Amino acid sequence: MPMPAHTVLLPDISTSDVVLTGDRPTGPLHLGHLAGSLLARVELQNVVKQTVLVADLQALTDNSGETAKVRGSVLGLVADYLAVGIDPAKSSICLQSGVPELAELTILMMNLVTQSRLERNPTIKTEIAARGFEASVPIGFIAYPVSQAADLLGFGATLCPSGADQLPLVEQTNEIARAINRMADKKVFDEVRHLRSVAGRLPGIDGAGKASKSAGNAINLGDDAARIRDCVMAMYTDPGHLRVEDPGDVVGNVVFAYLDAFDPHPHEVAGLKEHYVMGGLGDMVLKRRLVGVLSEMLEPIRSERRRLLDDPGYLLKVLADGTNKSRAEVKRNLSKVREAFSILELPPAA
Ligand code: TRP
């Protein structure tokens, strides 16, 4: 796997940490995911126990009108994971709907969270506005932080490396963990630490916001050379940099943001920045360099992804194996929560 020069820094990790990360299957992953989380997962899997969750149930909380899209995105997500180097021998790749114990955990945990607490969650607030859900929010959507808490505590996670938008979800998880510990009068769950992804947010090619599927301003991992070139050529640079000899601005310049994230020669990029700021360096030179960097990095990912998608049986087996492995852990944690809730256990059927 060709990896960008700067290996992702992983501070504050101990080998006993259990890591859970995940994505909603709603479409192909893009360079923002690569910089923001996938590269960290590829490194983390060598250091700690890691589960990567294909959160199809969470995807349905705002896609109940597009169930086929969610189902149709599951194997593509697994292919994206494997193509960038997430190794099923080191990381469990788990399908959320394949672990029904998570639903039971969610139901129990819902008793520990108030509606107003969910309504105050800043991530949920933003997402409700973005989806135009203000008039009528599906219960499943407003309650998904409880389901995500069930994911994190169910898998026994101690660490959740993710973007800043996931912090309120981790905080909600820890409130639930403390409530269960109080109920059980012992420590059932460790609190989960949020590790904010160090790569920061990769801007979209238009420079208007972060790279995102819905904004259509992202380069996907599976994009071919022609699309990569088109995207780079369309990238926002410095509108004040009209002639080559004009001094240019590096800050807010999308081409430099991508070179910073992916160019394997950061010293050369530093030199280019100096030159750009002084004037005399044209956007085309930079864009051609970025086309080269991205094409070289993505070509093996794209071909591996294609090869994997031609073998859905293998992808399903990876997912089934990972799901079964993770499920055993969730079962153990569910029985502790059932005990905390004093649930009457029936004898096994004769
Ligand atoms: N909320 C995450 C996202 O939007 C997906 C997710 C579901 C997740 N369950 C999780 C992430 C548990 C980390 C841990 O992509």
Side-chain angles (χ1 to χ4, degrees), residues 290-309:
L290 182 58
V291 169
V293 166
L294 295 181
S295 307
E296 205 171 302
M297 178 179 77
L298 288 180
E299 177 46 37
I301 295 177
R302 191 177 70 86
S303 61
E304 178 65 358
R305 192 178 180 279
R306 270 260 60 85
R307 194 185 67 75
L308 289 161
L309 284 171

Side-chain angles (χ1 to χ4, degrees), residues 272-292:
L272 291 168
K273 283 183 183 170
E274 277 177 34
H275 192 174
Y276 196 78
V277 170
M278 274 174 3
L281 179 58
D283 282 358
M284 275 318 280
V285 174
L286 294 173
K287 287 187 168 179
R288 264 189 239 114
R289 180 185 179 104
L290 182 58
V291 169

Side-chain angles (χ1 to χ4, degrees), residues 86-293:
I86 293 177
D87 177 353
K90 297 177 180 171
S91 303
S92 303
I93 303 176
C94 176
L95 183 64
Q96 191 183 24
S97 61
V99 186
E101 290 77 12
L102 291 173
E104 188 177 342
L105 268 178
T106 304
I107 286 282
L108 290 171
M109 290 175 175
M110 278 183 175
N111 299 312
L112 307 174
V113 182
T114 63
Q115 177 163 337
S116 61
R117 176 67 183 88
L118 291 171
E119 285 166 353
R120 277 198 312 274
N121 184 311
T123 298
I124 301 300
K125 272 195 200 167
T126 315
E127 290 180 344
I128 285 177
R131 287 158 183 71
F133 274 167
E134 289 99 333
S136 60
V137 191
I139 298 282
F141 185 82
I142 186 94
Y144 93 71
V146 186
S147 153
Q148 187 155 328
D151 299 338
L152 285 161
L153 299 176
F155 290 100
T158 59
L159 196 63
C160 180
S162 47
D165 62 328
Q166 299 296 299
L167 177 61
L169 295 152
V170 173
E171 286 169 345
Q172 175 69 79
T173 300
N174 288 334
E175 287 172 28
I176 294 173
R178 287 192 289 269
I180 292 174
N181 292 346
R182 271 196 305 275
M183 287 174 84
D185 205 19
K186 64 180 179 205
K187 194 166 96 183
V188 178
F189 291 116
D190 285 316
E191 291 200 15
V192 181
R193 280 141 48 228
H194 178 250
L195 184 61
R196 190 177 166 160
S197 60
V198 272
R201 285 152 49 122
L202 194 70
I205 61 173
D206 52 5
K210 67 166 182 169
S212 91
K213 213 158 10 198
S214 49
N217 63 0
I219 298 174
N220 292 333
L221 300 181
D223 281 349
D224 62 16
R227 172 133 208 288
I228 294 171
R229 186 171 330 101
D230 289 348
C231 287
V232 172
M233 290 307 158
M235 267 180 190
Y236 180 88
T237 56
D238 170 8
H241 186 234
L242 294 175
R243 287 164 306 173
V244 172
E245 56 278 18
D246 290 340
D249 208 345
V250 166
V251 180
N253 189 313
V254 177
V255 177
F256 276 113
Y258 279 64
L259 288 172
D260 279 340
F262 302 115
D263 195 297
H265 304 289
H267 292 301
E268 291 178 23
V269 174
L272 291 168
K273 283 183 183 170
E274 277 177 34
H275 192 174
Y276 196 78
V277 170
M278 274 174 3
L281 179 58
D283 282 358
M284 275 318 280
V285 174
L286 294 173
K287 287 187 168 179
R288 264 189 239 114
R289 180 185 179 104
L290 182 58
V291 169
V293 166

